[in-house]
Protein backbone atom coordinates (compact mmCIF):
# COMPACT_ATOMS: atom_id res chain seq x y z
CA UNK A 1 0.00 0.00 0.00
CA UNK A 2 1.31 3.47 -0.90
CA UNK A 3 0.50 6.14 1.69
CA UNK A 4 0.59 9.87 1.00
CA UNK A 5 1.78 11.71 4.13
CA UNK A 6 0.93 15.36 4.78
CA UNK A 7 2.54 17.40 7.59
CA UNK A 8 1.39 20.98 8.23
CA UNK A 9 1.39 21.38 12.02
CA UNK A 10 3.74 24.36 12.24
CA UNK A 11 6.03 26.13 9.77
CA UNK A 12 6.99 23.32 7.39
CA UNK A 13 4.86 21.82 4.67
CA UNK A 14 6.08 18.22 4.44
CA UNK A 15 4.85 15.66 1.92
CA UNK A 16 5.99 12.06 1.38
CA UNK A 17 5.01 8.82 -0.27
CA UNK A 18 5.67 5.68 1.76
CA UNK A 19 5.19 2.18 0.38
CA UNK A 20 4.51 -0.55 2.97
CA UNK A 21 6.49 -3.00 0.79
CA UNK A 22 9.30 -0.85 -0.58
CA UNK A 23 9.76 1.87 2.04
CA UNK A 24 10.03 5.58 1.38
CA UNK A 25 9.44 6.46 -2.29
CA UNK A 26 9.88 10.23 -2.13
CA UNK A 27 9.55 13.28 0.06
CA UNK A 28 9.23 17.01 -0.49
CA UNK A 29 9.48 19.87 1.97
CA UNK A 30 8.89 23.58 2.00
CA UNK A 31 10.18 25.47 5.02
CA UNK A 32 8.57 28.82 5.86
CA UNK A 33 11.50 29.86 8.07
CA UNK A 34 12.48 32.88 5.93
CA UNK A 35 8.92 34.21 6.08
CA UNK A 36 8.82 34.08 9.90
CA UNK A 37 12.40 35.22 10.60
CA UNK A 38 11.50 38.94 10.59
CA UNK A 39 9.01 38.28 13.39
CA UNK A 40 11.42 36.22 15.51
CA UNK A 41 9.06 33.22 15.56
CA UNK A 42 6.15 31.55 13.78
CA UNK A 43 3.17 33.78 12.96
CA UNK A 44 0.24 31.30 12.93
CA UNK A 45 -1.93 33.07 10.36
CA UNK A 46 0.96 33.49 7.92
CA UNK A 47 1.81 29.81 8.44
CA UNK A 48 -1.72 28.61 7.57
CA UNK A 49 -1.90 30.75 4.45
CA UNK A 50 1.45 29.53 3.22
CA UNK A 51 0.53 25.85 3.77
CA UNK A 52 -2.45 26.46 1.47
CA UNK A 53 -0.12 27.77 -1.22
CA UNK A 54 2.41 24.94 -0.93
CA UNK A 55 0.52 21.74 -0.21
CA UNK A 56 -0.80 20.81 -3.67
CA UNK A 57 2.37 21.72 -5.64
CA UNK A 58 4.41 19.70 -3.12
CA UNK A 59 2.12 16.66 -3.50
CA UNK A 60 2.64 16.87 -7.27
CA UNK A 61 6.38 17.20 -6.73
CA UNK A 62 6.46 14.09 -4.49
CA UNK A 63 4.43 12.09 -7.05
CA UNK A 64 6.79 13.13 -9.81
CA UNK A 65 9.88 12.28 -7.77
CA UNK A 66 8.47 8.84 -6.97
CA UNK A 67 7.46 8.31 -10.60
CA UNK A 68 3.91 7.30 -9.70
CA UNK A 69 0.44 8.73 -10.36
CA UNK A 70 -2.19 9.66 -7.80
CA UNK A 71 -4.20 6.55 -8.84
CA UNK A 72 -1.53 4.42 -7.14
CA UNK A 73 -2.05 6.11 -3.75
CA UNK A 74 -3.80 3.62 -1.44
CA UNK A 75 -4.36 5.87 1.59
CA UNK A 76 -3.72 9.35 2.97
CA UNK A 77 -2.14 10.19 6.35
CA UNK A 78 -2.18 13.74 7.70
CA UNK A 79 -1.04 15.37 10.93
CA UNK A 80 -4.12 15.69 13.14
CA UNK A 81 -2.33 17.37 16.08
CA UNK A 82 -0.82 18.71 18.23
CA UNK A 83 0.08 21.99 16.53
CA UNK A 84 -1.25 25.34 15.35
CA UNK A 85 -4.94 24.93 14.65
CA UNK A 86 -5.03 26.88 11.38
CA UNK A 87 -1.95 25.11 10.06
CA UNK A 88 -3.33 21.69 11.07
CA UNK A 89 -6.65 22.54 9.38
CA UNK A 90 -4.93 22.92 5.99
CA UNK A 91 -3.30 19.47 6.01
CA UNK A 92 -6.33 17.78 7.57
CA UNK A 93 -8.83 19.27 5.09
CA UNK A 94 -6.58 18.59 2.12
CA UNK A 95 -5.77 15.04 3.19
CA UNK A 96 -9.28 14.09 4.21
CA UNK A 97 -10.86 15.56 1.06
CA UNK A 98 -8.36 13.92 -1.28
CA UNK A 99 -8.83 10.51 0.33
CA UNK A 100 -12.60 10.90 0.01
CA UNK A 101 -12.35 11.98 -3.64
CA UNK A 102 -10.04 9.06 -4.46
CA UNK A 103 -12.12 6.56 -2.51
CA UNK A 104 -9.23 5.51 -0.23
CA UNK A 105 -8.96 5.48 3.59
CA UNK A 106 -7.49 8.37 5.57
CA UNK A 107 -5.80 8.45 8.95
CA UNK A 108 -5.03 11.36 11.30
CA UNK A 109 -1.55 11.05 12.83
CA UNK A 110 -0.20 12.40 16.14
CA UNK A 111 2.72 14.68 15.27
CA UNK A 112 4.90 13.46 18.16
CA UNK A 113 4.21 9.82 17.30
CA UNK A 114 5.47 10.73 13.84
CA UNK A 115 8.71 12.11 15.34
CA UNK A 116 9.03 9.12 17.65
CA UNK A 117 8.78 6.62 14.79
CA UNK A 118 10.97 8.56 12.30
CA UNK A 119 14.11 6.52 13.25
CA UNK A 120 12.20 3.48 11.90
CA UNK A 121 12.88 4.87 8.41
CA UNK A 122 16.64 4.33 8.88
CA UNK A 123 18.79 1.29 8.05
CA UNK A 124 19.15 0.09 11.64
CA UNK A 125 15.73 0.77 13.14
CA UNK A 126 15.15 0.34 16.87
CA UNK A 127 13.01 -2.56 18.07
CA UNK A 128 10.36 -2.45 20.81
CA UNK A 129 10.61 -1.86 23.71
CA UNK A 130 12.83 1.22 23.84
CA UNK A 131 13.32 4.46 25.70
CA UNK A 132 12.61 7.62 23.70
CA UNK A 133 13.71 11.19 24.31
CA UNK A 134 11.40 13.50 22.38
CA UNK A 135 12.96 16.94 22.05
CA UNK A 136 11.23 19.43 19.79
CA UNK A 137 10.11 23.05 19.82
CA UNK A 138 7.03 22.21 21.89
CA UNK A 139 7.90 19.00 23.75
CA UNK A 140 10.60 17.52 25.96
CA UNK A 141 9.56 14.07 27.09
CA UNK A 142 11.06 10.77 28.16
CA UNK A 143 8.79 7.94 27.06
CA UNK A 144 8.88 4.19 27.49
CA UNK A 145 7.76 2.75 24.15
CA UNK A 146 6.45 -0.82 24.20
CA UNK A 147 4.91 -0.71 20.74
CA UNK A 148 3.10 1.69 18.43
CA UNK A 149 0.55 3.53 20.55
CA UNK A 150 1.91 1.99 23.75
CA UNK A 151 3.53 4.98 25.35
CA UNK A 152 4.27 5.47 29.02
CA UNK A 153 5.36 8.98 29.94
CA UNK A 154 8.31 8.83 32.36
CA UNK A 155 9.13 12.52 32.56
CA UNK A 156 8.64 15.84 30.78
CA UNK A 157 9.45 19.51 30.98
CA UNK A 158 7.55 21.36 33.64
CA UNK A 159 7.98 24.62 31.68
CA UNK A 160 9.79 25.36 28.37
CA UNK A 161 10.67 22.65 25.87
CA UNK A 162 14.36 22.20 25.03
CA UNK A 163 13.87 23.55 21.49
CA UNK A 164 11.96 26.54 22.82
CA UNK A 165 14.86 27.29 25.19
CA UNK A 166 17.29 27.14 22.24
CA UNK A 167 15.07 29.54 20.30
CA UNK A 168 14.74 32.01 23.18
CA UNK A 169 18.43 31.94 24.11
CA UNK A 170 19.29 32.47 20.44
CA UNK A 171 17.11 35.58 20.29
CA UNK A 172 19.00 36.99 23.32
CA UNK A 173 22.27 36.42 21.46
CA UNK A 174 20.91 38.25 18.43
CA UNK A 175 20.55 35.08 16.34
CA UNK A 176 17.76 34.39 13.88
CA UNK A 177 14.85 31.96 14.35
CA UNK A 178 15.02 28.96 14.57
CA UNK A 179 17.62 29.25 17.29
CA UNK A 180 18.70 25.61 17.64
CA UNK A 181 20.88 25.33 14.55
CA UNK A 182 22.10 28.94 15.01
CA UNK A 183 23.24 28.32 18.61
CA UNK A 184 24.86 25.02 17.62
CA UNK A 185 26.86 26.78 14.90
CA UNK A 186 27.95 29.63 17.17
CA UNK A 187 28.72 27.27 20.08
CA UNK A 188 31.23 25.42 17.89
CA UNK A 189 33.34 28.63 17.94
CA UNK A 190 32.95 29.05 21.69
CA UNK A 191 35.34 28.24 24.52
CA UNK A 192 34.13 25.59 26.91
CA UNK A 193 34.34 26.51 30.59
CA UNK A 194 34.38 30.32 30.37
CA UNK A 195 30.78 30.46 31.58
CA UNK A 196 29.12 27.81 33.70
CA UNK A 197 25.36 27.46 33.37
CA UNK A 198 23.23 25.42 35.80
CA UNK A 199 22.00 21.87 35.06
CA UNK A 200 18.36 22.29 36.13
CA UNK A 201 16.65 19.59 38.19
CA UNK A 202 19.57 17.18 38.00
CA UNK A 203 20.31 17.31 41.72
CA UNK A 204 17.01 15.69 42.67
CA UNK A 205 15.48 12.35 41.73
CA UNK A 206 12.96 12.05 38.93
CA UNK A 207 12.88 12.37 35.17
CA UNK A 208 11.25 15.77 34.69
CA UNK A 209 13.00 18.71 33.08
CA UNK A 210 12.92 22.48 33.46
CA UNK A 211 14.48 24.84 30.94
CA UNK A 212 13.05 28.23 31.81
CA UNK A 213 15.79 28.88 34.40
CA UNK A 214 18.44 28.51 31.70
CA UNK A 215 16.65 31.20 29.75
CA UNK A 216 16.88 33.59 32.70
CA UNK A 217 20.50 32.62 33.27
CA UNK A 218 21.26 33.43 29.63
CA UNK A 219 19.50 36.77 29.93
CA UNK A 220 21.50 37.68 33.05
CA UNK A 221 24.78 36.57 31.49
CA UNK A 222 24.09 38.64 28.38
CA UNK A 223 23.17 41.68 30.52
CA UNK A 224 26.34 41.30 32.60
CA UNK A 225 28.53 41.04 29.50
CA UNK A 226 26.91 44.09 27.94
CA UNK A 227 27.44 46.04 31.17
CA UNK A 228 31.10 45.09 31.19
CA UNK A 229 31.41 45.98 27.51
CA UNK A 230 32.29 42.42 26.51
CA UNK A 231 29.54 41.29 24.15
CA UNK A 232 31.62 40.73 21.03
CA UNK A 233 31.43 37.73 18.67
CA UNK A 234 33.71 35.57 20.84
CA UNK A 235 31.74 36.40 24.01
CA UNK A 236 28.48 35.45 22.33
CA UNK A 237 30.04 32.21 21.11
CA UNK A 238 31.23 31.41 24.64
CA UNK A 239 27.71 32.01 25.99
CA UNK A 240 26.19 29.83 23.24
CA UNK A 241 28.68 27.10 24.11
CA UNK A 242 27.85 27.24 27.83
CA UNK A 243 24.12 27.19 27.08
CA UNK A 244 24.37 24.23 24.70
CA UNK A 245 26.58 22.30 27.12
CA UNK A 246 24.06 22.83 29.93
CA UNK A 247 21.14 21.55 27.82
CA UNK A 248 23.13 18.59 26.47
CA UNK A 249 24.46 17.62 29.93
CA UNK A 250 20.99 17.84 31.46
CA UNK A 251 19.35 15.74 28.75
CA UNK A 252 22.18 13.19 28.88
CA UNK A 253 21.99 12.81 32.65
CA UNK A 254 18.22 12.27 32.58
CA UNK A 255 18.49 9.75 29.73
CA UNK A 256 21.09 7.77 31.66
CA UNK A 257 18.88 7.81 34.73
CA UNK A 258 15.89 6.62 32.67
CA UNK A 259 17.92 3.80 31.06
CA UNK A 260 19.00 2.63 34.50
CA UNK A 261 15.50 2.90 35.97
CA UNK A 262 13.80 1.02 33.13
CA UNK A 263 16.59 -1.43 32.33
CA UNK A 264 16.01 -0.65 28.63
CA UNK A 265 19.02 -0.97 26.33
CA UNK A 266 17.94 1.19 23.37
CA UNK A 267 17.64 4.95 23.43
CA UNK A 268 15.83 6.69 20.58
CA UNK A 269 16.06 10.46 20.19
CA UNK A 270 13.58 12.30 18.00
CA UNK A 271 12.31 15.80 17.23
CA UNK A 272 14.16 18.89 16.00
CA UNK A 273 16.72 19.07 18.83
CA UNK A 274 17.79 15.46 18.13
CA UNK A 275 19.53 16.88 15.04
CA UNK A 276 22.01 18.56 17.42
CA UNK A 277 25.47 17.07 16.92
CA UNK A 278 26.78 17.77 20.43
CA UNK A 279 23.71 16.06 21.89
CA UNK A 280 24.19 13.03 19.65
CA UNK A 281 27.89 12.80 20.57
CA UNK A 282 27.23 13.09 24.32
CA UNK A 283 24.45 10.50 24.22
CA UNK A 284 26.53 8.16 22.07
CA UNK A 285 29.27 8.26 24.71
CA UNK A 286 26.79 7.81 27.55
CA UNK A 287 24.98 4.78 26.03
CA UNK A 288 28.32 3.05 25.43
CA UNK A 289 29.01 3.26 29.14
CA UNK A 290 25.57 1.77 29.84
CA UNK A 291 25.92 -1.10 27.35
CA UNK A 292 23.03 0.39 25.36
CA UNK A 293 22.66 1.76 21.83
CA UNK A 294 21.46 5.06 20.39
CA UNK A 295 19.13 5.44 17.41
CA UNK A 296 18.04 8.57 15.57
CA UNK A 297 16.75 9.69 12.20
CA UNK A 298 18.79 11.46 9.49
CA UNK A 299 18.87 15.23 10.26
CA UNK A 300 16.11 16.17 7.78
CA UNK A 301 13.76 13.65 9.41
CA UNK A 302 14.50 14.97 12.94
CA UNK A 303 12.76 18.26 12.17
CA UNK A 304 9.21 18.33 10.77
CA UNK A 305 8.69 16.29 7.61
CA UNK A 306 6.08 14.32 5.68
CA UNK A 307 7.94 10.99 5.77
CA UNK A 308 7.35 10.43 9.49
CA UNK A 309 3.61 11.09 9.04
CA UNK A 310 3.34 8.75 6.04
CA UNK A 311 5.22 6.03 7.98
CA UNK A 312 3.25 6.34 11.24
CA UNK A 313 -0.04 6.56 9.31
CA UNK A 314 0.85 3.47 7.29
CA UNK A 315 1.41 1.41 10.47
CA UNK A 316 -1.97 2.40 11.86
CA UNK A 317 -3.78 1.86 8.54
CA UNK A 318 -2.26 -1.61 8.21
CA UNK A 319 -3.64 -2.39 11.66
CA UNK A 320 -7.11 -1.51 10.34
CA UNK A 321 -7.48 1.94 11.87
CA UNK A 322 -8.90 4.82 9.86
CA UNK A 323 -10.39 8.26 10.18
CA UNK A 324 -14.08 9.12 9.92
CA UNK A 325 -15.20 11.71 7.35
CA UNK A 326 -15.16 14.42 10.00
CA UNK A 327 -12.20 16.82 9.89
CA UNK A 328 -11.33 17.54 13.51
CA UNK A 329 -7.71 18.55 14.21
CA UNK A 330 -6.58 18.47 17.85
CA UNK A 331 -4.25 21.36 18.83
CA UNK A 332 -3.48 19.78 22.23
CA UNK A 333 -3.30 16.01 22.38
CA UNK A 334 -1.48 13.87 24.99
CA UNK A 335 0.32 11.00 23.24
CA UNK A 336 -0.62 8.56 25.99
CA UNK A 337 -4.27 8.71 24.84
CA UNK A 338 -3.45 7.09 21.51
CA UNK A 339 -4.94 3.76 20.56
CA UNK A 340 -2.42 0.92 20.61
CA UNK A 341 -1.64 -0.94 17.39
O1 LIG B 1 10.52 18.90 15.75
P1 LIG B 1 10.60 20.30 15.26
O2 LIG B 1 11.07 20.52 13.84
O3 LIG B 1 9.24 21.03 15.39
C1 LIG B 1 8.38 20.83 16.48
O4 LIG B 1 7.64 19.83 16.47
O5 LIG B 1 8.49 21.66 17.41
O6 LIG B 1 11.58 21.05 16.28
C2 LIG B 1 11.92 22.38 16.10
C3 LIG B 1 12.88 22.77 17.20
C4 LIG B 1 13.21 24.26 17.20
O7 LIG B 1 13.07 24.74 18.51
C5 LIG B 1 14.67 24.29 16.74
O8 LIG B 1 15.39 25.39 17.26
C6 LIG B 1 15.19 22.98 17.26
O9 LIG B 1 14.12 22.07 17.05
N1 LIG B 1 16.37 22.50 16.51
C7 LIG B 1 17.58 22.36 17.07
C8 LIG B 1 18.46 21.95 16.03
N2 LIG B 1 17.73 21.86 14.89
C9 LIG B 1 16.45 22.21 15.20
N3 LIG B 1 18.01 22.54 18.34
C10 LIG B 1 19.30 22.32 18.60
N4 LIG B 1 20.20 21.95 17.67
C11 LIG B 1 19.84 21.75 16.38
N5 LIG B 1 20.74 21.39 15.47
ZN1 LIG C 1 7.78 18.57 15.11
Amino acid sequence: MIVLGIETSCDETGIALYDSNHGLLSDALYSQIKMHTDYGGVVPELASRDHIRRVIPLINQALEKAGITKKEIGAVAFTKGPGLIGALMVGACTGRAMAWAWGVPAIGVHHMEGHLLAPMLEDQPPSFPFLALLVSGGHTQLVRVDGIGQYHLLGESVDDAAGEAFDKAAAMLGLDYPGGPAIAQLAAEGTSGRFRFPRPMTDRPGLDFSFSGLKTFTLNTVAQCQKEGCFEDQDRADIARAFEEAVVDTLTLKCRRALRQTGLKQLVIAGGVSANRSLRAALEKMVQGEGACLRYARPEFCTDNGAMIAYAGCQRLMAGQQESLEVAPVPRWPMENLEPV
Side-chain angles (χ1 to χ4, degrees):
M1 175 175 51
I2 297 179
V3 180
L4 166 68
I6 305 176
E7 154 64 34
T8 65
S9 69
C10 190
D11 58 349
E12 256 116 19
T13 320
I15 302 294
L17 290 158
Y18 180 83
D19 185 332
S20 53
N21 292 320
H22 300 104
L24 190 66
L25 302 181
S26 70
D27 67 293
L29 186 91
Y30 181 82
S31 171
Q32 306 175 350
I33 283 173
K34 270 206 194 105
M35 190 178 74
H36 299 293
T37 297
D38 289 347
Y39 304 93
V42 180
V43 183
E45 184 57 27
L46 292 182
S48 323
R49 287 170 190 231
D50 207 54
H51 284 307
I52 294 174
R53 277 191 287 270
R54 309 290 171 188
V55 69
I56 304 284
L58 278 177
I59 292 173
N60 288 330
Q61 198 179 313
L63 283 167
E64 203 175 307
K65 257 201 213 169
I68 65 162
T69 66
K70 58 188 185 224
K71 290 202 177 75
E72 290 168 80
I73 293 175
V76 181
F78 55 85
T79 305
K80 186 173 175 175
L84 303 170
I85 185 65
L88 289 168
M89 253 343 227
V90 179
C93 290
T94 308
R96 191 67 201 86
M98 280 184 160
W100 178 76
W102 295 335
V104 298
I107 184 92
V109 174
H110 191 292
H111 180 79
M112 295 313 293
E113 177 171 79
H115 275 306
L116 176 66
L117 298 178
M120 296 287 190
L121 291 161
E122 302 303 330
D123 285 344
Q124 284 186 302
S127 53
F128 302 115
F130 57 77
L131 174 70
L133 172 71
L134 295 177
V135 267
S136 70
H139 293 76
T140 303
Q141 298 183 322
L142 270 166
V143 184
R144 184 193 160 96
V145 181
D146 288 303
I148 296 177
Q150 296 175 54
Y151 308 127
H152 180 65
L153 185 66
L154 302 171
E156 65 182 332
S157 178
V158 296
D159 42 53
D160 292 358
E164 192 180 352
F166 266 102
D167 295 338
K168 289 176 177 168
M172 294 172 202
L173 291 170
L175 301 169
D176 280 344
Y177 174 85
I183 289 217
Q185 208 184 342
L186 188 61
E189 311 293 321
T191 314
S192 179
R194 175 165 162 213
F195 297 101
R196 169 86 189 169
F197 280 43
R199 274 61 174 155
M201 292 179 78
T202 50
D203 56 352
R204 61 186 99 160
L207 297 170
D208 284 338
F209 305 91
S210 163
F211 290 108
S212 70
L214 277 180
K215 191 176 57 185
T216 315
F217 203 89
T218 309
L219 191 67
N220 292 341
T221 309
V222 166
Q224 187 66 29
C225 282
Q226 281 170 335
K227 207 169 112 193
E228 291 167 9
C230 59
F231 194 55
E232 302 301 319
D233 287 354
Q234 188 59 47
D235 306 306
R236 289 163 59 242
D238 294 346
I239 297 173
R241 178 67 170 249
F243 173 85
E244 187 182 54
E245 282 178 355
V247 175
V248 167
D249 260 12
T250 305
L251 292 172
T252 305
L253 189 139
K254 293 285 163 108
C255 285
R256 188 178 62 204
R257 196 178 279 176
L259 283 174
R260 288 183 181 173
Q261 274 183 20
T262 57
L264 292 168
K265 291 293 174 199
Q266 295 175 91
L267 172 64
V268 165
I269 51 169
V273 183
S274 70
N276 186 281
R277 287 213 201 141
S278 306
L279 177 65
R280 289 176 173 203
L283 289 174
E284 198 72 71
K285 205 168 146 203
M286 182 277 288
V287 295
Q288 273 174 22
E290 300 298 308
C293 68
L294 181 68
R295 295 282 177 264
Y296 42 74
R298 67 197 86 165
E300 63 268 35
F301 291 168
C302 289
T303 44
D304 293 348
N305 65 87
M308 66 184 197
I309 301 304
Y311 176 82
C314 184
Q315 307 312 307
R316 289 193 169 272
L317 287 156
M318 286 195 305
Q321 296 180 12
Q322 50 173 284
E323 202 69 21
S324 72
L325 280 177
E326 187 190 5
V327 179
V330 196
R332 283 174 183 272
W333 188 6
M335 207 168 60
E336 280 180 306
N337 295 356
L338 292 177
E339 236 182 280
V341 166

